[in-house]
Amino acid sequence: MADRRPLISGNWKMHHDHFEAIRTLQKLAYRLTNEDAELVDASVHPPFIDIRPLQIVIETDDLPIALGAQNCHWEDKGAFTGEVAPPMLAKMHVSYIICGHSERRELFGETDDDVNRKVKAILKHEMTPILCCGETLEEREAGEAEAKVERQVRAGLDKVKGDQVAGMVIAYEPIWAIGTGRTASSDDAQAMCGTVRRVVADAHGADAAAGVRVQYGGSVKPTNIKELMTMPDIDGALVGGASLDPDDFARIIQFRLQP
Ligand code: PGA
């Protein structure tokens, strides 16, 4: 972690109905201190139907937690049954939108081109994309991890201006570490997050590379976050399973206090 502000994001995936979402958010907020809010940005990414109720709770109680989404379409409106448009999310004061998560790429056929359109649409509506990349176990064992991540980052950021890239977030998530309890070693995670930053520097310039926040994701827990956050190119984490539990997620946000 350099002097970039840490961002810890909770990807709730398809968990928590709106009652559970409100309860989880309130418990999380109760555990966070003013010092946490001064030092760390935190976001929660619930299912779409929870966003409006959580917006009301966050704004009514002035909670130090940013609202996020897990996906969106790239068009502003139209005949796209089942999709949600970026301006709809902007209206609910969503700050961060995950795009190109490996589950969306693998299970719902999202291509690099789709992901690039989403990144540009999110930026157009003044929200921050969290662009996901990462390799499978087979790709890692075949020595293709870096090339895969480089391709995803270049394609995801195609025709995005350097000053916009500087404000973005890129999440490196090795697919073999997602939901498996297996985490990349902090050295491997650093090496790949360093690769992400080098690719950004090459494609978008030194200022973009210095500004972009790179998250590590894949079985992040209260017990491994502190070491990950000591790495120079890791600026935060995208947390799945452990973000569903407000105690665990608060401890991850409070990584500096962990033993
Ligand atoms: P995990 O998920 O923390 O449960 O491994 C991470 C993610 O998919 O973003």
Side-chain angles (χ1 to χ4, degrees), residues 11 13 101-103 173 177-180 217-220 238-242:
N11 174 10
K13 309 194 179 185
H101 189 280
S102 60
E103 286 152 19
E173 299 201 298
I178 294 178
T180 58
S219 299
V220 171
L238 183 53
V239 186

Side-chain angles (χ1 to χ4, degrees), residues 112-130:
D112 280 334
D113 195 41
D114 297 338
V115 175
N116 176 243
R117 289 183 206 209
K118 292 180 187 203
V119 166
K120 290 188 285 198
I122 294 163
L123 290 166
K124 176 178 143 198
H125 292 283
E126 297 180 348
M127 297 175 287
T128 302
I130 299 179

Side-chain angles (χ1 to χ4, degrees), residues 197-212:
R197 202 176 303 283
R198 267 196 307 284
V199 172
V200 170
D202 187 53
H204 299 275
D207 289 350
V212 68

Side-chain angles (χ1 to χ4, degrees), residues 135-192:
E135 80 286 357
T136 63
L137 192 56
E138 297 73 59
E139 287 162 339
R140 169 150 287 262
E141 285 172 348
E144 293 164 3
E146 298 210 349
K148 162 91 174 289
V149 163
E150 172 157 6
R151 194 198 76 225
Q152 288 179 320
V153 171
R154 282 188 189 277
L157 299 178
D158 189 40
K159 299 197 173 62
V160 180
K161 293 199 194 83
D163 59 334
Q164 290 187 305
V165 175
M168 275 185 57
V169 182
I170 301 178
Y172 165 66
E173 299 201 298
I175 295 168
W176 47 271
I178 294 178
T180 58
R182 276 186 72 183
T183 327
S185 71
S186 40
D187 287 339
D188 284 347
Q190 159 57 31
M192 292 301 291

Side-chain angles (χ1 to χ4, degrees), residues 186-243:
S186 40
D187 287 339
D188 284 347
Q190 159 57 31
M192 292 301 291
C193 291
T195 296
V196 167
R197 202 176 303 283
R198 267 196 307 284
V199 172
V200 170
D202 187 53
H204 299 275
D207 289 350
V212 68
R213 291 188 284 181
V214 181
Q215 293 178 319
Y216 167 79
S219 299
V220 171
K221 298 184 274 294
T223 48
N224 59 25
I225 183 67
K226 189 175 185 182
E227 190 180 333
L228 288 163
M229 292 301 289
T230 62
M231 297 293 150
D233 285 306
I234 299 181
D235 307 312
L238 183 53
V239 186
S243 74

